[in-house]
Amino acid sequence: MSTMNISLPESLKSFVDEQVSERGFGTSSEYVRELIRKDQDRQCLRGLLLAGAASAPGAPASPAYFQGLRDRVRKAATSSRE
């Protein structure tokens, strides 16, 4: 694992220390890693949303489409129990 040092104003350092304590992180590094992972997820979701917005409109989903999804989920749930 690589190491990165950052400089924070005292107010931000205090905030990080509070978050570590209140939210059950072992270290400030764990907290910062979690923030970075969430930001990566957010950027990925944003990219997917933008790609979807730029794509051609699809056909409207009918009640039969949703019933088919429900049937597939039920079948998968039944198969996983066996």
Side-chain angles (χ1 to χ4, degrees), residues 36-59:
I36 293 169
R37 284 186 198 100
K38 285 183 179 183
D39 194 42
Q40 285 177 322
D41 290 347
R42 184 191 58 79
Q43 286 184 19
C44 180
L45 177 59
R46 185 175 191 275
L48 293 170
L49 290 171
L50 289 173
S55 67

Side-chain angles (χ1 to χ4, degrees), residues 6-66:
I6 61 169
S7 298
L8 297 173
E10 188 57 41
S11 60
L12 288 180
K13 184 183 179 314
S14 295
F15 177 79
V16 169
D17 291 342
E18 287 173 24
Q19 296 307 301
V20 169
S21 174
E22 292 174 9
R23 296 173 58 188
F25 292 98
T27 65
S28 57
S29 291
E30 289 177 12
Y31 174 66
V32 172
R33 280 192 293 271
E34 179 66 18
L35 291 177
I36 293 169
R37 284 186 198 100
K38 285 183 179 183
D39 194 42
Q40 285 177 322
D41 290 347
R42 184 191 58 79
Q43 286 184 19
C44 180
L45 177 59
R46 185 175 191 275
L48 293 170
L49 290 171
L50 289 173
S55 67
S62 67
Y65 170 79
F66 289 106

Side-chain angles (χ1 to χ4, degrees), residues 66-81:
F66 289 106
Q67 186 59 49
L69 286 177
R70 286 185 202 96
D71 293 343
R72 285 174 41 201
V73 168
R74 285 186 193 106
K75 183 178 178 181
T78 303
S79 297
S80 68
R81 289 186 212 143

